[in-house]
Structures are given as C-alpha cells and as structure tokens.
Amino acid sequence: LGRRIAVLISWLLLLVFMQSGVFAARRFRGGRNPQPRRTPPSPTYRDRGDTTESFPLDFTAVEENMDNFMTQVKNLAQSLYPCSAQKLDYDMKLHFLENTSVTCNDGTPAGYYMKESRGSRRWLIFLEGGWYCFNKENCDSRYDTMRRLMSSSKWPQTKTGTGILSPLPEENPHWWNANMVFIPYCSSDVWSGASAKTDHSGYAFMGSLIIQEVVKDLLNKGLDNAKVLLLAGSSAGGTGVLLNVDPVAELLEGLGHPGIQVRGLADSGWFLDNKQYRSTDCHDTISCAPTEAIKRGIKYWGSVVPERCRQVHLGEEWNCFFGYRVFPSIKSPVFVVQWLFDEAQLTVDNIHLTGQPVQEGQWRYIQNLGIELRNTLKDVPAMFAPACLSHEVITRNYWIDVQVKGTSLPRALHCWDRSLQDNSRNNKAPPKGCPVHLIDSCPWPHCNPTCPTIRDQFTGQEMNVIQFLMHMGFDVQKMAQQQGMDPSKLLGMLSSGS
C-alpha cells in the first residue's frame, strides 16, 4: 500500500508540474491554444500482481485555478503520507508536570499524555472522568480499589487515543490532525480542588491546579502558537470542562496569549441536582444524593469555582457543579453532549438496572428524567442530546455512528466550529444545512435507532429495542393506548426505529 501511494503522489506532482508549465507557456503566448484540448494520458502502474490500476486525470477544469489545485494536491499528499510509512507512532507519550508541587491525591507527580501534530494550530486537551470521593473514609476505599485514579505510580508510558482523540481520519474526521493532550484524572475532586495534602484530609486535591500547570507546560511545546484550544472531557471530566474553560481562557490571556480561542466540549457531565427516586443515607459516592455529595466534597477538596458563578451563588458554590446552573455564567463557547437517559445520573438517583424489569414507578422516573434534561438544555445553543441510555461518548469508537435528526456528533461539532469561525467574521447567520442544536424528541430510552448497542447485564447478549423496553417494564398495550394507536402499529414503529 505504501509503495502504491508513493507512486500515486509522484504521478500527481509530476503531472501538476508538467501541466502548470503548459499553462505558463500558454499565458506567455497570449493565452491562446489553437490545438483542441486533450485529456492527458492516464498514468498506469502495476503492483506485484497482475492487476492494473489506472487513474485518468483531466486538468482542464483547474487551468485558471492552479494555486488552489496545488494546495489540494499538497493536502492529499500529506494525508496519504502516513499510509506509506513503514512504522507509525500514533501513541500519546507521558510527561510529568514541571511544577512538582502539583500532585495526584497521594503526592505522586501529576502529568499528561501528548501527541504533537507539527504544523497544526489546533489543540485538544481532554480531562478524564471517574467519579470522586468526598471524605477520608471513601477516599481510602477508592485508593484501595481504584488507585489509578489517585496515583500516577503505575501509569503506562504511552496511551492510544480513541474517538475524538484518535489520529485516524476515519475515526475522527475533523480533529484527527490536532495536537492531542490527555490529562489522567488523579485528583478525585471533579477537577476543582486547589489544596495540598493535610493531616486532616490525608490527600492532596489539586484538579484545577493540574489543568493550569498542564496549560503552562504546553506553552513551551507549541501551544503558544495555537489558534484554537478545545478543552474537552467526559463524565467528571465533562463537569470539569464547565468549571475550568473560563479559568483556562483567563490564564492564557493573563500570560499574554489572548489570541488563542478557548472552547469547551462537555460530554456526560451535565448532571441534575434532582430528587432521588429513593432517598438513602450518604455513605459513599453511589448512595449519596448529588447535591449532598458535592456540598461535602467542595469543603474537603478546597474547591475553586468560576468567579462569575461564585458571585451568583455566594455561600452555595455547590450549585456551580450542575450544568444548567453554571452554564449561564460561562463566557467561552461550550458544546454540550449529554445522553437524555444518563446511566451515571440514574445511578446517583438510585435507579439500578440490575437485570430485573423495572417497576412502574421507576419507569415513570426514567421518563421524567429525560423530560427534565430536555428542559435544562433547551437554551443551550450548541448541544447534542440523543435519547439513549448510556454514559460518555466522545472517546468511544462508536461516537461517529450516533445521530440526532440525521446528524452525527462529529458533523455537529464541525458545524459548531464553522459557526464560530463565521461569528468571528461578523457573520451571525449559521451555516445552511449545518445544525448545532440537536436534541431527540422521542420519549423513551433507546427510541433513537442509532443508540449504542445494549447488552443484557447477565447474559451479555445484545438486545433489540423491543427486548430492551420490555426489560425496562414497558407495557406496549398501555403505551399504545396513551399514544392513541394500535399496539401492533406501535411495535412496528419500535422495530423500525421510527
């Protein structure tokens, strides 16, 4: 394959140079050509087998636009070049922070993984997710069972990017060529802490400081020449984006880089401070109501929240951890990605889908959750909200497959990127046929046929939409009656994904 592509590129460039010489000669003679136009002969080459492949090339259409054509050929050559390389290094490499006083929970050095893309002025910094702990007891338990999320002692030297972090165009159509940075989550504080280890806490909580130090280190590695910085994250990392996107923009401006356009991409971090389905005592992350866990956490972590949100919620800064409460105060552009039936939200709301059909009250609660989420997202200008039961998406290999109203998530992000470029040129009209506000209107989990595959938690077998809804306690007869339609028609619509 590499030999074929190298030959193809050579032919393209040779023909372009020859053809551009012909064009120049024509212009020198007054731009006239008395001979009829002819299509140049097709370059043909043979592989080691008997198959012959030909590539007919007609340059007459680009005679008057050679500069643009040359640019396209160069771009083609650059995008095809990796295919011809004998050995490709797509991995991000581990770097520890230069400021060794900013650490993970246990005092080991914090750091980041990076894959440089020379020539690109776009940077993507990703914040990893992974819940949190909010007192000494459950942090000790977390350290025993999930030490990777509190310590860097066993981090590997390299990490392979997937989804929006992938360097492959087929998996990541619009960001594959950006400079990629992955910051492992080792602070257990929803990326909000700013406190050193004490005898009382037993741990350091420095999530917000880690982000700031990574940005400072990257300025010496090419970020100072960036045009766009996209701060992205999933789950707790998604909430971390909402908490840190403005502080990162302010940091760069304060360091003399106001021209870098800082944006946010928050995936599965738009949590609700709603009432639990069943109230329980606040012993650990799973059982504790979201508001109570955050109220305890921000004191234990020594959290900092964005200044504008802090001013709005003085004395009740915990509000800033919930998307719909912090979003109105954020100045930087933010794109929100949120499953309407988020598994982590259901978990903290004490809806546990353990393999047994859910009760009617649980089913109503799940449907109402989708309604509540829709209501909180309706004024968010750039968002993607499929009616699926899932959690996290932008680093999954299926992130390009999920659609809302016929538009995929990568396409929506590309449209958002275009709309921001147009706005910077004072063109306020959004690009035609390029939607950025996408939310499903169907009322049930997985009523969108492009949702990720669901598997039975006990058997591991895939379930179709009808099997899943029946597992969830969905009553076809009752639901058809509520919708005013025949049950068989409703089943047919579900089967076809309508």
Side-chain angles (χ1 to χ4, degrees):
L1 175 63
R3 187 164 167 259
R4 286 186 177 190
I5 292 171
V7 171
L8 173 58
I9 293 171
S10 299
W11 270 109
L12 282 169
L13 294 176
L14 177 61
L15 283 167
V16 168
F17 293 142
M18 290 173 62
Q19 198 73 14
S20 60
V22 172
F23 295 158
R26 289 178 186 172
R27 287 193 292 270
F28 184 79
R29 294 195 300 266
R32 295 173 182 246
N33 181 10
Q35 300 297 323
R37 299 187 180 203
R38 297 178 182 175
T39 302
S42 303
T44 304
Y45 63 89
R46 290 184 181 272
D47 201 353
R48 294 178 181 177
D50 296 329
T51 305
T52 300
E53 299 184 25
S54 61
F55 299 87
L57 298 170
D58 184 356
F59 289 90
T60 56
V62 297
E63 181 172 349
E64 302 301 328
N65 199 10
M66 180 51 65
D67 290 341
N68 181 53
F69 180 71
M70 283 296 295
T71 299
Q72 293 185 42
V73 171
K74 288 177 183 177
N75 290 340
L76 172 65
Q78 289 172 355
S79 64
L80 290 177
Y81 174 75
C83 301
S84 65
Q86 293 299 313
K87 184 178 180 181
L88 300 175
D89 188 3
Y90 284 149
D91 288 341
M92 297 178 282
K93 292 179 173 55
L94 177 61
H95 302 261
F96 288 110
L97 293 180
E98 294 179 13
N99 183 349
T100 56
S101 68
V102 177
T103 70
C104 297
N105 287 132
D106 66 347
T108 53
Y112 58 95
Y113 291 86
M114 176 182 171
K115 179 186 176 298
E116 188 177 0
S117 181
R118 295 185 185 275
S120 174
R121 298 182 65 194
R122 299 206 301 168
W123 287 71
L124 193 159
I125 298 179
F126 180 84
L127 308 180
E128 186 184 23
W131 292 92
Y132 46 80
C133 56
F134 55 81
N135 60 34
K136 181 70 164 59
E137 184 181 7
N138 57 48
C139 283
D140 285 345
S141 175
R142 181 180 172 91
Y143 194 70
D144 290 338
T145 58
M146 294 185 284
R147 190 162 300 185
R148 178 187 70 81
L149 294 174
M150 300 182 74
S151 173
S152 64
S153 59
K154 293 188 178 180
W155 285 354
Q157 290 301 304
T158 61
K159 186 172 184 64
T160 302
T162 54
I164 200 170
L165 293 172
S166 171
L168 304 175
E170 61 269 28
E171 186 177 343
N172 186 13
H174 303 299
W175 278 88
W176 65 274
N177 198 35
N179 297 277
M180 303 293 189
V181 178
F182 177 99
I183 312 183
Y185 185 37
C186 68
S187 57
S188 309
D189 56 3
V190 199
W191 298 98
S192 69
S195 62
K197 184 176 179 179
T198 66
D199 292 336
H200 168 68
S201 66
Y203 298 98
F205 297 99
M206 297 187 167
S208 67
L209 299 181
I210 290 171
I211 296 171
Q212 302 259 322
E213 290 301 319
V214 169
V215 170
K216 291 176 185 176
D217 283 8
L218 293 176
L219 287 171
N220 297 321
K221 299 180 185 294
L223 180 63
D224 59 326
N225 192 43
K227 182 179 180 182
V228 173
L229 168 57
L230 181 64
L231 183 66
S234 294
S235 193
T239 308
V241 168
L242 300 173
L243 292 171
N244 288 280
V245 64
D246 275 354
V248 166
E250 291 159 6
L251 171 68
L252 287 170
E253 186 172 357
L255 293 173
H257 302 282
I260 301 176
Q261 302 170 36
V262 179
R263 305 168 184 171
L265 172 58
D267 166 30
S268 303
W270 188 276
F271 291 102
L272 301 181
D273 53 345
N274 57 342
K275 185 179 179 181
Q276 292 176 296
Y277 172 70
R278 185 183 69 256
S279 297
T280 54
D281 293 334
C282 185
H283 294 302
D284 54 34
T285 306
I286 303 300
S287 64
C288 195
T291 49
E292 186 58 33
I294 296 299
K295 285 177 182 178
R296 298 184 186 194
I298 58 175
K299 296 177 182 177
Y300 188 52
W301 306 326
S303 294
V304 292
V305 299
E307 180 59 22
R308 278 178 294 277
C309 188
R310 190 186 73 82
Q311 293 288 350
V312 174
H313 299 286
L314 280 173
E316 295 186 327
E317 288 83 1
W318 59 268
N319 283 282
C320 299
F321 285 74
F322 296 94
Y324 75 101
R325 294 187 183 276
V326 67
F327 187 82
S329 66
I330 297 175
K331 288 178 62 178
S332 304
V334 175
F335 192 106
V336 175
V337 180
Q338 187 66 38
W339 304 111
L340 289 180
F341 305 94
D342 187 273
E343 288 177 317
Q345 179 75 56
L346 288 170
T347 297
V348 295
D349 287 342
N350 280 323
I351 296 283
H352 302 291
L353 306 175
T354 57
Q356 297 297 320
V358 299
Q359 300 169 357
E360 185 175 353
Q362 291 174 312
W363 172 248
R364 284 199 304 271
Y365 187 94
I366 292 169
Q367 284 188 288
N368 287 334
L369 174 64
I371 295 170
E372 287 184 58
L373 262 169
R374 278 191 195 90
N375 289 337
T376 64
L377 290 167
K378 65 179 184 295
D379 295 326
V380 177
M383 42 83 74
F384 186 88
C388 306
L389 177 72
S390 194
H391 185 61
E392 301 188 357
V393 64
I394 62 174
T395 57
R396 308 297 194 207
N397 57 10
Y398 54 75
W399 84 296
I400 62 175
D401 300 323
V402 181
Q403 297 184 3
V404 174
K405 298 177 181 176
T407 300
S408 69
L409 177 52
R411 169 69 176 165
L413 288 171
H414 180 58
C415 291
W416 179 56
D417 197 35
R418 283 181 56 191
S419 70
L420 293 174
Q421 290 176 12
D422 290 343
N423 285 346
S424 67
R425 302 187 187 111
N426 295 319
N427 180 11
K428 299 298 182 181
K432 291 183 178 179
C434 218
V436 297
H437 183 89
L438 293 156
I439 184 166
D440 267 333
S441 55
C442 60
W444 310 305
H446 264 60
C447 55
N448 179 330
T450 67
C451 288
T453 299
I454 297 180
R455 296 185 179 274
D456 186 287
Q457 293 184 357
F458 288 113
T459 67
Q461 293 182 328
E462 292 186 8
M463 292 189 288
N464 61 32
V465 176
I466 294 178
Q467 289 171 329
F468 168 70
L469 290 175
M470 290 177 67
H471 164 80
M472 294 284 287
F474 180 85
D475 187 328
V476 175
Q477 296 281 347
K478 185 175 181 180
M479 192 59 67
Q481 185 178 7
Q482 290 178 359
Q483 299 296 320
M485 65 173 65
D486 185 82
S488 59
K489 182 180 179 181
L490 176 58
L491 282 173
M493 290 174 64
L494 292 171
S495 299
S496 65
S498 298

XYZ file of all heavy atoms in Angstrom, residues 232-312:
605
model
N -11.854 19.518 26.415
C -12.910 18.510 26.370
C -12.804 17.594 27.579
O -11.766 17.521 28.231
C -12.814 17.701 25.073
N -13.892 16.888 27.882
C -13.868 15.948 28.991
C -15.144 15.153 29.046
O -16.186 15.569 28.518
N -15.078 13.987 29.693
C -16.245 13.109 29.831
C -16.527 12.817 31.294
O -15.604 12.682 32.103
C -16.001 11.777 29.089
O -15.900 11.975 27.695
N -17.823 12.731 31.631
C -18.285 12.421 32.985
C -17.773 13.495 33.954
O -18.045 14.678 33.759
C -17.826 11.010 33.382
O -18.492 10.580 34.541
N -17.013 13.103 34.989
C -16.454 14.113 35.890
C -15.566 15.084 35.117
O -15.465 16.269 35.463
C -15.661 13.443 37.011
N -14.939 14.587 34.038
C -14.149 15.469 33.179
C -15.018 16.448 32.417
O -14.605 17.572 32.134
N -16.252 16.025 32.070
C -17.185 16.933 31.420
C -17.608 18.056 32.337
O -17.691 19.227 31.928
N -17.887 17.723 33.602
C -18.177 18.759 34.591
C -16.949 19.639 34.799
O -17.056 20.862 34.958
C -18.601 18.128 35.932
O -19.666 17.197 35.708
C -19.057 19.182 36.920
N -15.764 19.002 34.762
C -14.514 19.754 34.876
C -14.350 20.786 33.775
O -13.793 21.862 34.010
N -14.839 20.479 32.574
C -14.793 21.450 31.479
C -15.623 22.674 31.834
O -15.186 23.821 31.670
C -15.301 20.813 30.168
C -15.533 21.886 29.097
C -14.320 19.771 29.670
N -16.840 22.451 32.340
C -17.717 23.565 32.697
C -17.098 24.437 33.791
O -17.273 25.663 33.809
C -19.078 23.040 33.157
C -19.862 22.204 32.138
C -21.113 21.608 32.770
C -20.236 23.042 30.914
N -16.343 23.816 34.694
C -15.721 24.547 35.794
C -14.435 25.263 35.390
O -14.037 26.244 36.026
C -15.405 23.590 36.952
C -16.585 22.993 37.710
C -16.106 21.910 38.676
C -17.351 24.071 38.471
N -13.778 24.785 34.322
C -12.422 25.272 34.034
C -12.233 25.966 32.699
O -11.164 26.521 32.456
C -11.436 24.098 34.125
C -11.198 23.638 35.549
O -10.422 24.239 36.288
N -11.876 22.567 35.945
N -13.229 25.947 31.817
C -12.998 26.523 30.491
C -12.733 28.026 30.569
O -11.812 28.541 29.905
C -14.172 26.190 29.533
C -15.481 26.824 29.980
C -13.838 26.600 28.111
N -13.482 28.756 31.372
C -13.222 30.197 31.526
C -11.906 30.472 32.255
O -11.127 31.341 31.825
C -14.390 30.882 32.228
C -15.507 31.267 31.260
O -15.328 31.097 30.033
O -16.567 31.738 31.733
N -11.608 29.775 33.362
C -10.304 29.990 34.001
C -9.116 29.719 33.081
O -8.101 30.425 33.159
C -10.326 29.006 35.183
C -11.780 28.904 35.543
C -12.498 28.956 34.229
N -9.223 28.724 32.183
C -8.134 28.468 31.231
C -7.994 29.640 30.262
O -6.884 30.097 29.962
C -8.372 27.147 30.464
C -7.451 27.044 29.245
C -8.151 25.957 31.387
N -9.130 30.156 29.765
C -9.085 31.317 28.865
C -8.463 32.519 29.571
O -7.647 33.252 28.983
C -10.495 31.644 28.376
N -8.830 32.720 30.832
C -8.299 33.842 31.596
C -6.803 33.667 31.876
O -6.043 34.637 31.848
C -9.080 33.985 32.900
C -10.531 34.458 32.683
C -11.452 34.118 33.843
O -10.944 33.611 34.882
O -12.675 34.323 33.715
N -6.385 32.419 32.125
C -4.962 32.139 32.355
C -4.138 32.489 31.117
O -3.101 33.172 31.209
C -4.779 30.663 32.700
C -3.329 30.166 32.765
C -2.605 30.797 33.951
C -3.268 28.638 32.854
N -4.591 32.039 29.949
C -3.850 32.308 28.717
C -3.792 33.802 28.410
O -2.755 34.320 27.982
C -4.489 31.542 27.550
C -4.255 30.031 27.554
C -5.126 29.339 26.519
C -2.777 29.726 27.305
N -4.902 34.490 28.648
C -4.907 35.930 28.425
C -3.932 36.625 29.375
O -3.192 37.528 28.975
C -6.320 36.479 28.612
C -6.450 37.944 28.256
C -7.889 38.437 28.247
O -8.805 37.613 28.462
O -8.094 39.643 28.013
N -3.911 36.170 30.640
C -3.009 36.764 31.621
C -1.545 36.495 31.321
O -0.670 37.276 31.714
N -1.269 35.391 30.606
C 0.106 35.061 30.246
C 0.508 35.650 28.903
O 1.576 35.330 28.367
C 0.286 33.529 30.214
C 0.172 32.823 31.573
C 0.205 31.310 31.399
C 1.295 33.275 32.512
N -0.374 36.482 28.333
C -0.030 37.177 27.100
C -0.434 36.470 25.829
O 0.160 36.719 24.771
N -1.456 35.609 25.912
C -1.909 34.875 24.721
C -3.417 35.037 24.525
O -4.165 34.052 24.488
C -1.559 33.390 24.844
C -0.095 33.130 25.026
N 0.797 33.179 23.984
C 0.627 32.857 26.148
C 2.019 32.928 24.443
N 1.938 32.736 25.748
N -3.888 36.274 24.369
C -5.335 36.490 24.234
C -5.890 36.018 22.894
O -7.098 35.889 22.735
C -5.475 38.015 24.365
C -4.159 38.546 23.868
C -3.131 37.535 24.299
N -5.004 35.758 21.910
C -5.471 35.360 20.587
C -5.876 33.901 20.480
O -6.466 33.490 19.470
N -5.558 33.094 21.491
C -5.945 31.680 21.452
C -7.432 31.564 21.786
O -7.873 32.000 22.849
C -5.106 30.844 22.435
C -3.622 30.949 22.107
C -5.558 29.384 22.408
C -2.710 30.236 23.097
N -8.202 30.998 20.872
C -9.646 30.841 21.076
C -9.900 29.600 21.929
O -9.683 28.481 21.482
C -10.361 30.697 19.735
C -10.152 31.864 18.792
C -10.679 31.564 17.399
O -11.703 30.896 17.244
N -9.982 32.048 16.377
N -10.335 29.785 23.166
C -10.591 28.675 24.086
C -12.068 28.297 24.023
O -12.946 29.155 24.141
C -10.192 29.046 25.527
C -10.479 27.883 26.479
C -8.708 29.429 25.582
N -12.329 27.008 23.822
C -13.694 26.493 23.736
C -13.812 25.265 24.629
O -12.817 24.669 25.013
C -14.032 26.117 22.291
C -13.831 27.255 21.301
C -13.893 26.772 19.862
N -13.596 27.854 18.919
C -13.405 27.677 17.626
N -13.473 26.447 17.104
N -13.136 28.700 16.835
N -15.052 24.876 24.924
C -15.289 23.717 25.781
C -16.156 22.678 25.089
O -17.040 23.011 24.295
N -15.913 21.411 25.402
C -16.734 20.292 24.934
C -17.004 19.393 26.136
O -16.127 18.660 26.586
C -16.024 19.522 23.825
C -16.671 18.209 23.359
C -18.094 18.442 22.870
C -15.820 17.551 22.272
N -18.219 19.495 26.692
C -18.576 18.779 27.928
C -19.438 17.566 27.586
O -20.581 17.713 27.152
C -19.317 19.705 28.882
N -18.892 16.379 27.793
C -19.575 15.129 27.478
C -20.009 14.426 28.760
O -19.175 14.116 29.624
C -18.621 14.229 26.674
C -19.081 12.783 26.564
O -20.311 12.543 26.567
O -18.215 11.891 26.459
N -21.302 14.186 28.896
C -21.849 13.404 30.021
C -21.478 13.995 31.378
O -21.292 13.260 32.357
C -21.377 11.944 29.940
O -21.756 11.364 28.703
N -21.382 15.320 31.434
C -21.072 15.983 32.699
C -22.135 16.973 33.119
O -21.931 17.759 34.034
N -23.300 16.912 32.432
C -24.411 17.837 32.697
C -25.372 17.153 33.662
O -26.414 16.646 33.284
C -25.105 18.181 31.374
C -26.141 19.247 31.408
C -27.455 19.092 31.740
C -25.990 20.637 31.071
N -28.131 20.280 31.631
C -27.244 21.255 31.214
C -24.901 21.416 30.667
C -27.438 22.619 30.959
C -25.101 22.758 30.411
C -26.356 23.345 30.559
N -25.009 17.138 34.941
C -25.813 16.416 35.930
C -26.912 17.314 36.514
O -26.800 18.536 36.536
C -24.922 15.890 37.054
C -23.990 14.788 36.607
C -22.659 15.045 36.350
C -24.471 13.507 36.423
C -21.803 14.042 35.926
C -23.627 12.486 35.998
C -22.291 12.761 35.755
N -27.961 16.655 36.995
C -29.081 17.361 37.619
C -29.026 17.201 39.130
O -28.673 16.138 39.645
C -30.413 16.808 37.097
C -30.673 16.888 35.594
C -32.049 16.323 35.273
C -30.558 18.326 35.102
N -29.398 18.261 39.832
C -29.497 18.200 41.290
C -30.944 17.863 41.677
O -31.568 18.542 42.493
C -29.051 19.523 41.919
C -29.787 20.720 41.330
O -30.412 20.575 40.255
O -29.740 21.803 41.936
N -31.455 16.808 41.070
C -32.866 16.446 41.261
C -33.052 15.543 42.481
O -32.087 15.091 43.096
C -33.410 15.758 40.001
C -32.591 14.530 39.627
O -31.461 14.370 40.075
N -33.147 13.662 38.806
N -34.300 15.291 42.807
C -34.623 14.431 43.932
C -34.426 12.973 43.536
O -34.836 12.548 42.458
C -36.075 14.664 44.380
C -36.467 13.894 45.619
C -37.910 14.207 46.021
C -38.309 13.416 47.263
N -39.718 13.688 47.654
N -33.773 12.205 44.413
C -33.546 10.790 44.126
C -34.860 10.012 44.058
O -35.858 10.392 44.684
C -32.661 10.155 45.202
C -31.220 10.658 45.221
C -30.455 10.058 46.381
O -30.790 10.324 47.543
N -29.457 9.250 46.090
N -34.839 8.905 43.313
C -36.004 8.026 43.252
C -36.290 7.448 44.643
O -37.446 7.361 45.076
C -35.756 6.896 42.247
C -36.830 5.828 42.257
C -38.105 6.108 41.772
C -36.569 4.556 42.765
C -39.105 5.139 41.798
C -37.557 3.581 42.783
C -38.824 3.880 42.298
O -39.804 2.918 42.317
N -35.213 7.070 45.315
C -35.356 6.561 46.680
C -34.220 7.141 47.512
O -33.048 6.953 47.216
C -35.281 5.024 46.685
C -35.549 4.387 48.054
C -35.396 2.875 48.022
N -34.016 2.458 47.834
C -33.519 2.009 46.706
N -34.286 1.914 45.628
N -32.244 1.654 46.605
N -34.560 7.880 48.544
C -33.537 8.532 49.364
C -32.827 7.516 50.249
O -33.448 6.619 50.826
C -34.173 9.616 50.241
O -34.734 10.630 49.444
N -31.505 7.665 50.346
C -30.699 6.785 51.192
C -29.702 7.629 51.969
O -29.457 8.802 51.638
C -29.944 5.739 50.350
O -29.196 6.430 49.333
C -30.891 4.754 49.690
N -29.104 7.020 52.979
C -28.078 7.722 53.751
C -26.850 7.973 52.879
O -26.533 7.185 51.982
C -27.688 6.908 54.982
C -28.828 6.801 55.988
O -29.684 7.708 55.982
O -28.866 5.816 56.749
N -26.149 9.052 53.185
C -24.996 9.468 52.376
C -23.719 8.826 52.916
O -22.987 9.425 53.699
C -24.896 10.991 52.389
S -23.610 11.634 51.311
N -23.478 7.576 52.486
C -22.282 6.868 52.947
C -21.156 6.914 51.923
O -19.991 7.014 52.280
C -22.613 5.407 53.266
C -23.541 5.248 54.433
N -23.247 5.732 55.678
C -24.766 4.660 54.524
C -24.248 5.453 56.519
N -25.182 4.810 55.835
N -21.506 6.786 50.634
C -20.472 6.744 49.599
C -20.964 7.477 48.351
O -22.067 8.031 48.328
C -20.099 5.290 49.264
C -21.318 4.446 48.885
O -22.254 4.996 48.267
O -21.340 3.242 49.216
N -20.129 7.465 47.317
C -20.431 8.215 46.097
C -21.726 7.756 45.451
O -22.509 8.567 44.946
C -19.272 8.042 45.091
O -18.052 8.408 45.744
C -19.473 8.917 43.871
N -21.972 6.451 45.465
C -23.121 5.888 44.766
C -24.425 6.178 45.496
O -25.434 6.553 44.896
C -22.955 4.364 44.569
C -21.652 4.067 43.811
C -24.147 3.787 43.820
C -21.594 4.692 42.431
N -24.428 6.019 46.818
C -25.674 6.157 47.573
C -26.036 7.609 47.880
O -27.197 7.930 48.105
C -25.570 5.384 48.887
O -24.563 5.946 49.730
N -25.038 8.476 47.867
C -25.259 9.858 48.306
C -25.932 10.676 47.205
O -25.559 10.583 46.024
C -23.913 10.492 48.669
S -24.057 12.016 49.608
N -26.925 11.475 47.570
C -27.565 12.368 46.612
C -26.525 13.329 46.042
O -25.620 13.761 46.767
C -28.684 13.157 47.286
N -26.624 13.662 44.753
C -25.592 14.502 44.124
C -25.329 15.809 44.860
O -24.165 16.184 45.053
C -26.167 14.766 42.726
C -27.126 13.656 42.473
C -27.687 13.278 43.808
N -26.383 16.495 45.299
C -26.172 17.783 45.961
C -25.418 17.605 47.277
O -24.498 18.371 47.589
C -27.518 18.474 46.242
O -28.399 17.542 46.874
C -28.149 18.948 44.950
N -25.782 16.583 48.040
C -25.130 16.360 49.329
C -23.666 15.966 49.148
O -22.784 16.423 49.885
C -25.873 15.286 50.124
C -25.364 15.087 51.543
C -25.434 16.357 52.386
O -26.363 17.168 52.186
O -24.547 16.546 53.252
N -23.388 15.118 48.162
C -22.005 14.701 47.903
C -21.137 15.898 47.522
O -20.005 16.041 48.011
C -21.979 13.657 46.788
N -21.646 16.781 46.675
C -20.866 17.947 46.245
C -20.706 18.935 47.395
O -19.628 19.520 47.581
C -21.521 18.620 45.028
C -21.518 17.673 43.834
C -20.819 19.920 44.679
C -20.136 17.237 43.376
N -21.756 19.132 48.203
C -21.650 20.043 49.352
C -20.533 19.592 50.288
O -19.754 20.412 50.794
C -22.978 20.092 50.116
C -24.067 20.892 49.419
C -25.364 20.823 50.216
C -26.501 21.577 49.520
N -27.773 21.475 50.274
N -20.455 18.287 50.537
C -19.390 17.777 51.398
C -18.040 17.846 50.690
O -17.007 18.143 51.297
C -19.702 16.336 51.806
C -20.983 16.194 52.609
C -21.192 14.767 53.075
N -22.492 14.591 53.736
C -22.820 13.536 54.465
N -21.955 12.544 54.634
N -24.010 13.449 55.033
N -18.068 17.542 49.375
C -16.825 17.477 48.621
C -16.106 18.809 48.515
O -14.883 18.879 48.711
N -16.820 19.883 48.211
C -16.138 21.157 47.976
C -15.407 21.650 49.231
O -14.384 22.322 49.140
C -17.092 22.243 47.429
C -18.263 22.483 48.372
C -17.584 21.875 46.053
C -19.159 23.636 47.929
N -15.910 21.283 50.410
C -15.212 21.640 51.655
C -13.966 20.778 51.829
O -12.894 21.270 52.202
C -16.139 21.464 52.857
C -17.338 22.402 52.847
C -18.251 22.114 54.039
C -19.484 23.011 54.020
N -20.413 22.702 55.141
N -14.100 19.493 51.555
C -12.993 18.547 51.717
C -11.896 18.808 50.679
O -10.707 18.670 50.973
C -13.546 17.137 51.571
C -12.590 16.013 51.899
C -11.890 15.979 53.100
C -12.415 14.963 51.005
C -11.034 14.935 53.397
C -11.569 13.909 51.296
C -10.874 13.895 52.495
O -10.027 12.857 52.787
N -12.283 19.191 49.456
C -11.332 19.389 48.367
C -10.687 20.774 48.365
O -9.683 20.976 47.687
C -12.027 19.190 47.006
C -12.737 17.890 46.846
C -12.381 16.672 47.364
C -13.956 17.666 46.107
N -13.286 15.705 46.992
C -14.260 16.280 46.221
C -14.799 18.480 45.362
C -15.386 15.713 45.622
C -15.911 17.920 44.757
C -16.203 16.544 44.895
N -11.283 21.732 49.062
C -10.822 23.113 48.934
C -11.058 23.621 47.522
O -10.185 24.224 46.891
N -12.258 23.388 47.027
C -12.569 23.649 45.620
C -12.581 25.126 45.283
O -12.901 25.979 46.115
C -13.943 23.059 45.273
O -13.915 21.656 45.355
N -12.258 25.414 44.023
C -12.458 26.740 43.452
C -13.448 26.589 42.299
O -13.419 25.605 41.568
C -11.136 27.366 42.949
C -10.229 27.682 44.107
C -10.431 26.454 41.956
N -14.335 27.554 42.155
C -15.316 27.540 41.067
C -15.143 28.821 40.267
O -14.539 29.790 40.749
C -16.760 27.420 41.598
C -16.953 26.123 42.368
C -17.126 28.620 42.470
N -15.653 28.878 39.023
C -15.509 30.101 38.227
C -16.052 31.325 38.960
O -17.112 31.245 39.594
C -16.322 29.794 36.970
C -16.366 28.308 36.884
C -16.360 27.818 38.290
N -15.337 32.429 38.868
C -15.665 33.608 39.660
C -17.074 34.124 39.389
O -17.799 34.493 40.322
C -14.634 34.720 39.396
C -14.872 36.004 40.184
C -14.855 35.805 41.695
O -14.265 34.808 42.173
O -15.451 36.646 42.398
N -17.494 34.150 38.133
C -18.830 34.669 37.834
C -19.909 33.778 38.448
O -20.926 34.276 38.945
C -19.025 34.794 36.315
C -18.437 36.066 35.728
C -18.612 36.143 34.214
N -17.838 35.109 33.532
C -16.550 35.226 33.239
N -15.889 36.327 33.563
N -15.904 34.264 32.621
N -19.697 32.473 38.428
C -20.676 31.580 39.054
C -20.640 31.724 40.574
O -21.685 31.696 41.238
C -20.382 30.126 38.647
S -21.664 28.958 39.166
N -19.455 31.900 41.126
C -19.333 32.082 42.582
C -20.105 33.307 43.042
O -20.776 33.282 44.088
C -17.862 32.195 42.962
C -17.611 32.155 44.469
C -16.152 32.420 44.788
N -15.814 33.826 44.581
C -16.048 34.792 45.476
N -16.633 34.499 46.636
N -15.717 36.039 45.222
N -20.021 34.391 42.260
C -20.728 35.619 42.623
C -22.237 35.413 42.611
O -22.960 35.990 43.441
C -20.351 36.742 41.642
C -18.910 37.200 41.738
C -18.630 38.003 42.996
O -19.542 38.382 43.720
N -17.357 38.249 43.268
N -22.723 34.601 41.692
C -24.166 34.338 41.604
C -24.640 33.471 42.765
O -25.754 33.623 43.260
C -24.503 33.662 40.251
C -25.976 33.246 40.211
C -24.192 34.603 39.098
